[in-house]
Amino acid sequence: MEKVYTAEVTATGGRKGHVKSSDGVIDMALTVPVGMSSGGKTNPEQLFAAGYAACFQSALLVVSAKHHEQLDPQSTVTAHVDLLKKEDGGYALGVKLEVDLKGVDKDKAQKMVDEAHQICPYSVGTRGNIEVDLQVV
């Protein structure tokens, strides 16, 4: 495979620490998400959700062009990333993607969402490791 891009982010202090990208665009404090107010800080699950939602939206734009369908600029992908506690005491992630393709017939929208799920790098990377629930709203 040809490398297209490399993101470089350094974390210090874990979930109660700090993350900073090599270009300085991301430079923020983190907090633990469970049972705490954010206090103006983000957490790894929010960052993952932001990346997945944006990436999936881009995959939908590729798929919609293939179908000669122009997506309404107000169409959205909302990623819900759950931090799950497993029975063995470990943790896992669960994802639900809610996709609203405004003005697109629900059956066609479902087909496009399913196709986007096959090409989105986040979907490809998590396949077989994280359960992803796709919902067309």
Side-chain angles (χ1 to χ4, degrees), residues 7-82:
E8 181 182 335
V9 178
T10 301
T12 55
R15 289 178 167 274
K16 293 183 181 179
H18 191 268
V19 290
K20 184 173 183 179
S21 61
S22 58
D23 63 3
V25 171
I26 296 173
D27 188 356
M28 56 185 33
L30 299 174
T31 191
V32 177
V34 181
M36 300 181 73
S37 65
S38 68
K41 300 175 185 174
T42 191
N43 60 65
E45 290 72 27
Q46 286 179 326
L47 294 169
F48 185 80
Y52 204 156
C55 189
F56 202 85
Q57 183 79 25
S58 288
L60 282 166
L61 291 169
V62 169
V63 168
S64 67
K66 181 179 124 184
H67 286 269
H68 306 290
E69 183 83 43
Q70 179 144 355
L71 290 186
D72 185 309
Q74 298 304 311
S75 293
T76 60
V77 175
T78 303
H80 303 260
V81 175
D82 298 319

Side-chain angles (χ1 to χ4, degrees), residues 56-72 75 77 99-120 123 134 136:
F56 202 85
Q57 183 79 25
S58 288
L60 282 166
L61 291 169
V62 169
V63 168
S64 67
K66 181 179 124 184
H67 286 269
H68 306 290
E69 183 83 43
Q70 179 144 355
L71 290 186
D72 185 309
S75 293
V77 175
V99 182
D100 184 0
L101 299 182
K102 298 185 183 319
V104 178
D105 169 80
K106 189 162 183 161
D107 289 336
K108 187 169 192 174
Q110 185 66 58
K111 181 177 180 172
M112 289 171 44
V113 165
D114 291 341
E115 286 183 40
H117 191 49
Q118 295 306 308
I119 65 168
C120 171
S123 294
L134 301 172
V136 176

